[in-house]
Amino acid sequence: MKAIQIADNVFRIAANIGDKDLFEGIWPIPDGVSINSYLVKGEKTVLIDLVKDWDNALEQVNGQLADAGTSLGGIDYLIINHMEPDHTGWLADMKKQNPELKIYCSKKSVPLIKAFYKIEDNVFPVGSGDSLDIGGGKTLIFEDAPNVHWPETMVTYEKSTGVLFSCDAFGSFGRVEEHVFDDELTAEEAEFYDKETLRYYANIVSTFSSFVLKAIDKVSGLDIKVIAPSHGILWRKNPSKIIEDYRRLASYNTNPEEDEITFIWSSMYGNTEKLVEPIIRAVEEEGVKINVHRVPQTHVSFALADAWKSAGLIFGMPTYEYRMFPPMAYVLDIFDRSHVMNRKIFRFGSFGWSGGAQKQFQELTVNLKWECIEPVEWQGAADEETIARAVKQAKALARSIKKS
Ligand code: FEO
């Protein structure tokens, strides 16, 4: 991959990460992820955000800096928008290689730089409205964007070119190959990044949705020509598209507007599984789209992405040792952390000696303000009357979320 000039003396310096690791140690990235840094050249040379030495990232970055006529040792100022190690992991090594490096970051990043990388000298805290004139007509303006994605996060705006370096905000999963800008994507690529934006948002950012809306309000006064996030493609033809996508995704926290159902199920010996096909058919007969995930066979990352946009959720799981089947307890813990709130819910499942799943289900979801219809539980194998009762409930749920 080559360095790509995105505006006058502004370059994208990016690393594509493959699929062999989990992002944040949790989330699968079957189509990889990009980590984007940006080089801004004035009289001084600035790098905005860094990488972790992960899957050849450093080699990719070094090669592109050379394309752009510099090197990590030639950087005067490093802007750290966000301290998470996917953007700072190589910081201690860079500082050793470039001891005069000046680091600009938010006030809250200062103790983190010390804690993570033991660096205290030449660290300059900045806050909303502060700016850095680097000569050559280039001025960087900083804006705090707390909790998008960590409390210390900020974004940086270059005034002469109108480029917003937004770090995690407006990002997505997925490698970025030769088509880097929104206006270069094929229809298939655009669809791919839409899906990976949803999954990235649901997995990484969803917990902080109220802060996303505040950050969008903050940057909406800027004359943005290009949105340059630290993951995914860049937006220059229609930056407002990704801003509005993020505004909509943030609103799903409490108001999922898509009249879909996400159905997550698990089964031990087939007694809960027996109801899966009748439930899917029942929802489809009501003309409602249903997204189906079996756990633990499918990673919660994908179920969470579908659940984030769905107004209705159905859970099918048996009781296991007086509580929920453990992989489903994990799903609900993730949904709680991600604030999948205000959904309409139906739950069903079998039990052996005794129930218990429903009690734990209610306890684990108490903070999510879910509107639950009457569950269906049974001992052993479901008879026809039980299946009919569950089908009736699934249909009722489907009708309750239908907009037309
Ligand atoms: Fe891409 Fe929150 O780091």
Side-chain angles (χ1 to χ4, degrees):
M1 199 170 9
K2 294 275 182 199
I4 290 174
Q5 182 153 355
I6 63 173
D8 175 46
N9 276 324
V10 181
F11 300 83
R12 170 188 172 268
I13 307 289
N16 269 330
I17 306 300
D19 62 359
K20 71 175 190 287
D21 293 320
L22 298 171
F23 192 79
E24 290 186 334
I26 304 176
W27 310 108
I29 40 172
D31 295 295
V33 65
S34 72
I35 302 181
N36 308 333
S37 300
Y38 296 94
L39 184 74
V40 184
K41 288 171 137 183
E43 288 168 16
K44 297 290 185 184
T45 302
V46 176
L47 189 66
I48 299 176
D49 294 320
L50 195 57
V51 291
K52 160 178 146 71
D53 191 13
W54 177 21
D55 204 9
N56 260 350
L58 199 55
E59 199 175 303
Q60 297 176 63
V61 165
N62 279 326
Q64 290 166 52
L65 286 173
D67 290 344
T70 188
S71 65
L72 286 169
I75 303 296
D76 297 303
Y77 303 138
L78 175 67
I79 310 296
I80 294 180
N81 278 327
H82 174 29
M83 274 299 295
E84 193 164 10
D86 51 336
H87 308 293
T88 61
W90 208 71
L91 182 56
D93 293 288
M94 183 174 179
K95 182 73 176 168
K96 276 187 206 142
Q97 189 172 319
N98 183 347
E100 299 307 313
L101 181 73
K102 294 183 172 60
I103 298 171
Y104 286 76
C105 61
S106 71
K107 294 175 184 69
K108 286 183 181 165
S109 286
V110 175
L112 288 178
I113 292 175
K114 183 180 173 193
F116 276 79
Y117 304 112
K118 317 305 174 203
I119 295 171
E120 293 182 78
D121 65 307
N122 275 337
V123 176
F124 300 94
V126 291
S128 286
D130 288 345
S131 61
L132 178 66
D133 185 339
I134 62 166
K138 294 279 185 291
T139 304
L140 300 167
I141 300 171
F142 307 107
E143 187 66 55
D144 289 316
N147 292 314
V148 190
H149 149 235
W150 280 6
E152 86 301 344
T153 309
M154 65 179 194
V155 298
T156 300
Y157 174 73
E158 202 292 303
K159 200 173 168 187
S160 70
T161 53
V163 180
L164 178 68
F165 304 98
S166 61
C167 203
D168 279 357
F170 311 125
S172 80
F173 287 141
R175 268 187 304 274
V176 179
E177 304 288 0
E178 64 193 278
H179 295 162
V180 167
F181 294 98
D182 56 340
D183 51 278
E184 297 176 325
L185 301 182
T186 63
E188 190 183 342
E189 287 167 337
E191 188 183 347
F192 167 78
Y193 287 113
D194 277 349
K195 280 182 83 167
E196 287 295 72
T197 298
L198 166 66
R199 196 167 68 86
Y200 170 87
Y201 187 93
N203 291 184
I204 308 297
V205 189
S206 58
T207 309
F208 309 103
S209 290
S210 63
F211 295 95
V212 170
L213 294 173
K214 283 181 193 156
I216 289 174
D217 286 346
K218 275 188 167 187
V219 301
S220 60
L222 299 172
D223 179 17
I224 298 172
K225 302 265 193 320
V226 180
I227 289 184
S230 56
H231 303 290
I233 63 160
L234 283 67
W235 300 81
R236 68 179 174 191
K237 183 180 178 200
N238 190 7
S240 60
K241 198 262 185 203
I242 191 65
I243 293 174
E244 290 315 309
D245 281 353
Y246 259 63
R247 197 193 297 278
R248 176 175 48 81
L249 290 170
S251 77
Y252 288 173
N253 173 209
T254 53
N255 184 29
E257 67 176 21
E258 296 186 26
D259 50 353
E260 296 177 12
I261 284 175
T262 292
F263 175 21
I264 304 159
W265 68 277
S266 50
S267 189
M268 295 168 64
Y269 294 110
N271 290 310
T272 298
E273 183 173 6
K274 190 176 172 189
L275 271 72
V276 168
E277 283 308 320
I279 294 282
I280 294 170
R281 213 164 36 246
V283 171
E284 288 176 342
E285 280 170 7
E286 293 297 331
V288 170
K289 184 179 174 198
I290 184 165
N291 314 297
V292 183
H293 300 275
R294 180 178 191 178
V295 292
Q297 286 81 349
T298 302
H299 195 282
V300 65
S301 166
F302 302 95
L304 175 57
D306 278 336
W308 188 253
K309 63 189 166 95
S310 296
L313 305 178
I314 297 177
F315 295 94
M317 99 273 295
T319 289
Y320 184 91
E321 295 174 349
Y322 311 106
R323 304 174 79 183
M324 286 193 297
F325 191 54
M328 197 62 87
Y330 175 65
V331 168
L332 289 172
D333 179 46
I334 293 288
F335 280 23
D336 185 35
R337 291 163 185 259
S338 303
H339 299 179
V340 184
M341 299 181 74
N342 292 10
R343 269 63 175 174
K344 293 186 176 170
I345 307 292
F346 169 52
R347 189 213 141 236
F348 67 90
S350 67
F351 60 88
W353 286 102
S354 77
Q358 182 62 25
K359 182 169 179 287
Q360 194 197 12
F361 180 82
Q362 285 164 338
E363 288 166 359
L364 285 182
T365 60
V366 72
N367 294 325
L368 294 175
K369 299 184 177 162
W370 283 356
E371 195 180 312
C372 300
I373 62 172
E374 187 68 26
V376 174
E377 289 195 294
W378 65 93
Q379 187 171 33
D383 56 21
E384 289 307 312
E385 185 275 332
T386 303
I387 295 172
R389 238 174 345 115
V391 162
K392 190 175 165 198
Q393 292 297 74
K395 281 179 172 285
L397 186 82
R399 284 195 297 274
S400 75
I401 62 145
K402 255 203 305 200
K403 287 189 184 134
S404 55

PDB file of all heavy atoms in Angstrom, residues 23-24 35 82-87 148-150 153 167-168 200 204 230-231, ligand 1:
ATOM      1  N   PHE A  23      -9.950  -8.241  17.396  1.00  0.00           N
ATOM      2  CA  PHE A  23      -9.801  -6.820  17.689  1.00  0.00           C
ATOM      3  C   PHE A  23     -10.134  -6.598  19.159  1.00  0.00           C
ATOM      4  O   PHE A  23     -11.144  -7.104  19.663  1.00  0.00           O
ATOM      5  CB  PHE A  23     -10.757  -6.025  16.783  1.00  0.00           C
ATOM      6  CG  PHE A  23     -10.507  -4.545  16.776  1.00  0.00           C
ATOM      7  CD1 PHE A  23      -9.480  -4.010  16.014  1.00  0.00           C
ATOM      8  CD2 PHE A  23     -11.286  -3.693  17.529  1.00  0.00           C
ATOM      9  CE1 PHE A  23      -9.249  -2.645  16.000  1.00  0.00           C
ATOM     10  CE2 PHE A  23     -11.058  -2.323  17.518  1.00  0.00           C
ATOM     11  CZ  PHE A  23     -10.034  -1.803  16.762  1.00  0.00           C
ATOM     12  N   GLU A  24      -9.322  -5.841  19.856  1.00  0.00           N
ATOM     13  CA  GLU A  24      -9.434  -5.643  21.309  1.00  0.00           C
ATOM     14  C   GLU A  24      -9.382  -6.965  22.077  1.00  0.00           C
ATOM     15  O   GLU A  24      -9.830  -7.034  23.217  1.00  0.00           O
ATOM     16  CB  GLU A  24     -10.735  -4.895  21.691  1.00  0.00           C
ATOM     17  CG  GLU A  24     -10.774  -3.438  21.279  1.00  0.00           C
ATOM     18  CD  GLU A  24     -11.995  -2.707  21.803  1.00  0.00           C
ATOM     19  OE1 GLU A  24     -13.024  -3.353  22.049  1.00  0.00           O
ATOM     20  OE2 GLU A  24     -11.923  -1.481  21.964  1.00  0.00           O
ATOM     21  N   ILE A  35      -5.780   0.511  10.189  1.00  0.00           N
ATOM     22  CA  ILE A  35      -5.433   1.503  11.212  1.00  0.00           C
ATOM     23  C   ILE A  35      -4.779   2.659  10.459  1.00  0.00           C
ATOM     24  O   ILE A  35      -3.725   2.490   9.832  1.00  0.00           O
ATOM     25  CB  ILE A  35      -4.485   0.921  12.265  1.00  0.00           C
ATOM     26  CG1 ILE A  35      -5.137  -0.297  12.928  1.00  0.00           C
ATOM     27  CG2 ILE A  35      -4.157   1.966  13.323  1.00  0.00           C
ATOM     28  CD1 ILE A  35      -4.300  -0.937  14.003  1.00  0.00           C
ATOM     29  N   HIS A  82      -6.186   9.662  20.662  1.00  0.00           N
ATOM     30  CA  HIS A  82      -6.820   8.623  21.485  1.00  0.00           C
ATOM     31  C   HIS A  82      -5.731   7.662  21.930  1.00  0.00           C
ATOM     32  O   HIS A  82      -4.874   7.274  21.128  1.00  0.00           O
ATOM     33  CB  HIS A  82      -7.864   7.934  20.604  1.00  0.00           C
ATOM     34  CG  HIS A  82      -8.544   6.738  21.171  1.00  0.00           C
ATOM     35  ND1 HIS A  82      -8.752   6.542  22.512  1.00  0.00           N
ATOM     36  CD2 HIS A  82      -9.098   5.653  20.550  1.00  0.00           C
ATOM     37  CE1 HIS A  82      -9.402   5.398  22.681  1.00  0.00           C
ATOM     38  NE2 HIS A  82      -9.609   4.832  21.520  1.00  0.00           N
ATOM     39  N   MET A  83      -5.781   7.281  23.201  1.00  0.00           N
ATOM     40  CA  MET A  83      -4.686   6.508  23.782  1.00  0.00           C
ATOM     41  C   MET A  83      -4.810   4.998  23.609  1.00  0.00           C
ATOM     42  O   MET A  83      -3.901   4.263  24.008  1.00  0.00           O
ATOM     43  CB  MET A  83      -4.587   6.818  25.277  1.00  0.00           C
ATOM     44  CG  MET A  83      -3.756   8.038  25.598  1.00  0.00           C
ATOM     45  SD  MET A  83      -2.045   7.871  25.051  1.00  0.00           S
ATOM     46  CE  MET A  83      -1.496   6.517  26.096  1.00  0.00           C
ATOM     47  N   GLU A  84      -5.899   4.485  23.084  1.00  0.00           N
ATOM     48  CA  GLU A  84      -6.000   3.024  23.003  1.00  0.00           C
ATOM     49  C   GLU A  84      -4.809   2.492  22.200  1.00  0.00           C
ATOM     50  O   GLU A  84      -4.390   3.095  21.201  1.00  0.00           O
ATOM     51  CB  GLU A  84      -7.338   2.594  22.380  1.00  0.00           C
ATOM     52  CG  GLU A  84      -7.569   1.106  22.588  1.00  0.00           C
ATOM     53  CD  GLU A  84      -9.008   0.629  22.367  1.00  0.00           C
ATOM     54  OE1 GLU A  84      -9.832   1.393  21.858  1.00  0.00           O
ATOM     55  OE2 GLU A  84      -9.270  -0.549  22.720  1.00  0.00           O
ATOM     56  N   PRO A  85      -4.248   1.368  22.635  1.00  0.00           N
ATOM     57  CA  PRO A  85      -2.971   0.942  22.048  1.00  0.00           C
ATOM     58  C   PRO A  85      -3.006   0.611  20.555  1.00  0.00           C
ATOM     59  O   PRO A  85      -1.932   0.528  19.939  1.00  0.00           O
ATOM     60  CB  PRO A  85      -2.598  -0.296  22.879  1.00  0.00           C
ATOM     61  CG  PRO A  85      -3.178   0.006  24.225  1.00  0.00           C
ATOM     62  CD  PRO A  85      -4.509   0.665  23.907  1.00  0.00           C
ATOM     63  N   ASP A  86      -4.188   0.423  19.946  1.00  0.00           N
ATOM     64  CA  ASP A  86      -4.151   0.240  18.487  1.00  0.00           C
ATOM     65  C   ASP A  86      -3.620   1.498  17.799  1.00  0.00           C
ATOM     66  O   ASP A  86      -3.101   1.432  16.686  1.00  0.00           O
ATOM     67  CB  ASP A  86      -5.519  -0.179  17.902  1.00  0.00           C
ATOM     68  CG  ASP A  86      -6.684   0.688  18.314  1.00  0.00           C
ATOM     69  OD1 ASP A  86      -6.611   1.336  19.370  1.00  0.00           O
ATOM     70  OD2 ASP A  86      -7.692   0.710  17.578  1.00  0.00           O
ATOM     71  N   HIS A  87      -3.667   2.655  18.506  1.00  0.00           N
ATOM     72  CA  HIS A  87      -3.163   3.911  17.928  1.00  0.00           C
ATOM     73  C   HIS A  87      -1.911   4.434  18.621  1.00  0.00           C
ATOM     74  O   HIS A  87      -1.402   5.477  18.232  1.00  0.00           O
ATOM     75  CB  HIS A  87      -4.251   4.990  17.990  1.00  0.00           C
ATOM     76  CG  HIS A  87      -5.546   4.530  17.407  1.00  0.00           C
ATOM     77  ND1 HIS A  87      -5.693   4.251  16.063  1.00  0.00           N
ATOM     78  CD2 HIS A  87      -6.731   4.231  17.984  1.00  0.00           C
ATOM     79  CE1 HIS A  87      -6.929   3.820  15.846  1.00  0.00           C
ATOM     80  NE2 HIS A  87      -7.571   3.783  16.992  1.00  0.00           N
ATOM     81  N   VAL A 148     -15.430   8.932  22.957  1.00  0.00           N
ATOM     82  CA  VAL A 148     -15.568   8.421  21.578  1.00  0.00           C
ATOM     83  C   VAL A 148     -14.166   8.047  21.068  1.00  0.00           C
ATOM     84  O   VAL A 148     -13.631   8.662  20.198  1.00  0.00           O
ATOM     85  CB  VAL A 148     -16.174   9.498  20.646  1.00  0.00           C
ATOM     86  CG1 VAL A 148     -16.540   8.890  19.305  1.00  0.00           C
ATOM     87  CG2 VAL A 148     -17.375  10.192  21.258  1.00  0.00           C
ATOM     88  N   HIS A 149     -13.449   7.176  21.738  1.00  0.00           N
ATOM     89  CA  HIS A 149     -14.095   6.070  22.388  1.00  0.00           C
ATOM     90  C   HIS A 149     -13.728   5.935  23.874  1.00  0.00           C
ATOM     91  O   HIS A 149     -14.437   5.280  24.636  1.00  0.00           O
ATOM     92  CB  HIS A 149     -13.724   4.835  21.542  1.00  0.00           C
ATOM     93  CG  HIS A 149     -13.586   3.511  22.119  1.00  0.00           C
ATOM     94  ND1 HIS A 149     -12.479   2.718  22.007  1.00  0.00           N
ATOM     95  CD2 HIS A 149     -14.478   2.805  22.842  1.00  0.00           C
ATOM     96  CE1 HIS A 149     -12.677   1.575  22.599  1.00  0.00           C
ATOM     97  NE2 HIS A 149     -13.877   1.589  23.113  1.00  0.00           N
ATOM     98  N   TRP A 150     -12.614   6.537  24.304  1.00  0.00           N
ATOM     99  CA  TRP A 150     -12.219   6.550  25.716  1.00  0.00           C
ATOM    100  C   TRP A 150     -12.409   7.976  26.253  1.00  0.00           C
ATOM    101  O   TRP A 150     -12.552   8.918  25.465  1.00  0.00           O
ATOM    102  CB  TRP A 150     -10.744   6.124  25.859  1.00  0.00           C
ATOM    103  CG  TRP A 150     -10.450   4.652  25.797  1.00  0.00           C
ATOM    104  CD1 TRP A 150     -11.316   3.649  25.512  1.00  0.00           C
ATOM    105  CD2 TRP A 150      -9.164   4.042  26.019  1.00  0.00           C
ATOM    106  NE1 TRP A 150     -10.663   2.432  25.552  1.00  0.00           N
ATOM    107  CE2 TRP A 150      -9.333   2.652  25.858  1.00  0.00           C
ATOM    108  CE3 TRP A 150      -7.900   4.513  26.342  1.00  0.00           C
ATOM    109  CZ2 TRP A 150      -8.285   1.743  26.012  1.00  0.00           C
ATOM    110  CZ3 TRP A 150      -6.859   3.613  26.492  1.00  0.00           C
ATOM    111  CH2 TRP A 150      -7.044   2.237  26.338  1.00  0.00           C
ATOM    112  N   THR A 153     -10.370  10.981  24.638  1.00  0.00           N
ATOM    113  CA  THR A 153     -10.313  11.125  23.176  1.00  0.00           C
ATOM    114  C   THR A 153     -10.562  12.570  22.734  1.00  0.00           C
ATOM    115  O   THR A 153     -11.378  13.282  23.310  1.00  0.00           O
ATOM    116  CB  THR A 153     -11.368  10.208  22.518  1.00  0.00           C
ATOM    117  OG1 THR A 153     -11.215   8.896  23.046  1.00  0.00           O
ATOM    118  CG2 THR A 153     -11.195  10.167  21.009  1.00  0.00           C
ATOM    119  N   CYS A 167     -10.348  10.054  14.467  1.00  0.00           N
ATOM    120  CA  CYS A 167      -9.948   8.864  15.227  1.00  0.00           C
ATOM    121  C   CYS A 167     -11.035   7.784  15.138  1.00  0.00           C
ATOM    122  O   CYS A 167     -11.510   7.490  14.059  1.00  0.00           O
ATOM    123  CB  CYS A 167      -9.562   9.210  16.649  1.00  0.00           C
ATOM    124  SG  CYS A 167      -8.480   7.918  17.314  1.00  0.00           S
ATOM    125  N   ASP A 168     -11.466   7.208  16.267  1.00  0.00           N
ATOM    126  CA  ASP A 168     -12.413   6.085  16.189  1.00  0.00           C
ATOM    127  C   ASP A 168     -13.776   6.507  15.613  1.00  0.00           C
ATOM    128  O   ASP A 168     -14.491   5.672  15.035  1.00  0.00           O
ATOM    129  CB  ASP A 168     -12.640   5.489  17.579  1.00  0.00           C
ATOM    130  CG  ASP A 168     -11.538   4.531  18.005  1.00  0.00           C
ATOM    131  OD1 ASP A 168     -10.618   4.285  17.212  1.00  0.00           O
ATOM    132  OD2 ASP A 168     -11.601   4.034  19.146  1.00  0.00           O
ATOM    133  N   TYR A 200     -18.812  -2.537  13.661  1.00  0.00           N
ATOM    134  CA  TYR A 200     -17.815  -1.784  14.427  1.00  0.00           C
ATOM    135  C   TYR A 200     -18.523  -0.900  15.463  1.00  0.00           C
ATOM    136  O   TYR A 200     -18.134  -0.856  16.631  1.00  0.00           O
ATOM    137  CB  TYR A 200     -16.990  -0.937  13.460  1.00  0.00           C
ATOM    138  CG  TYR A 200     -16.065   0.074  14.100  1.00  0.00           C
ATOM    139  CD1 TYR A 200     -14.767  -0.271  14.488  1.00  0.00           C
ATOM    140  CD2 TYR A 200     -16.472   1.384  14.305  1.00  0.00           C
ATOM    141  CE1 TYR A 200     -13.922   0.658  15.060  1.00  0.00           C
ATOM    142  CE2 TYR A 200     -15.637   2.318  14.875  1.00  0.00           C
ATOM    143  CZ  TYR A 200     -14.364   1.954  15.249  1.00  0.00           C
ATOM    144  OH  TYR A 200     -13.532   2.889  15.824  1.00  0.00           O
ATOM    145  N   ILE A 204     -17.848  -1.681  19.290  1.00  0.00           N
ATOM    146  CA  ILE A 204     -16.818  -0.831  19.900  1.00  0.00           C
ATOM    147  C   ILE A 204     -17.397   0.432  20.528  1.00  0.00           C
ATOM    148  O   ILE A 204     -16.945   0.880  21.570  1.00  0.00           O
ATOM    149  CB  ILE A 204     -15.765  -0.411  18.827  1.00  0.00           C
ATOM    150  CG1 ILE A 204     -15.214  -1.635  18.088  1.00  0.00           C
ATOM    151  CG2 ILE A 204     -14.645   0.421  19.442  1.00  0.00           C
ATOM    152  CD1 ILE A 204     -14.473  -2.617  18.947  1.00  0.00           C
ATOM    153  N   SER A 230      -9.687   6.857  11.916  1.00  0.00           N
ATOM    154  CA  SER A 230      -8.510   6.010  12.136  1.00  0.00           C
ATOM    155  C   SER A 230      -8.787   4.543  11.803  1.00  0.00           C
ATOM    156  O   SER A 230      -7.882   3.713  11.931  1.00  0.00           O
ATOM    157  CB  SER A 230      -8.013   6.146  13.570  1.00  0.00           C
ATOM    158  OG  SER A 230      -9.042   5.853  14.460  1.00  0.00           O
ATOM    159  N   HIS A 231     -10.000   4.218  11.407  1.00  0.00           N
ATOM    160  CA  HIS A 231     -10.302   2.880  10.874  1.00  0.00           C
ATOM    161  C   HIS A 231     -11.252   3.060   9.690  1.00  0.00           C
ATOM    162  O   HIS A 231     -12.260   3.766   9.806  1.00  0.00           O
ATOM    163  CB  HIS A 231     -11.020   2.006  11.913  1.00  0.00           C
ATOM    164  CG  HIS A 231     -10.263   1.829  13.197  1.00  0.00           C
ATOM    165  ND1 HIS A 231      -9.115   1.093  13.297  1.00  0.00           N
ATOM    166  CD2 HIS A 231     -10.510   2.302  14.451  1.00  0.00           C
ATOM    167  CE1 HIS A 231      -8.684   1.109  14.543  1.00  0.00           C
ATOM    168  NE2 HIS A 231      -9.511   1.848  15.270  1.00  0.00           N
TER     169      HIS A 231
HETATM  170 FE1  FEO B   1      -9.245   2.371  17.462  1.00  0.00          FE
HETATM  171 FE2  FEO B   1     -10.567   2.965  20.612  1.00  0.00          FE
HETATM  172  O1  FEO B   1      -9.231   2.555  19.350  1.00  0.00           O
END
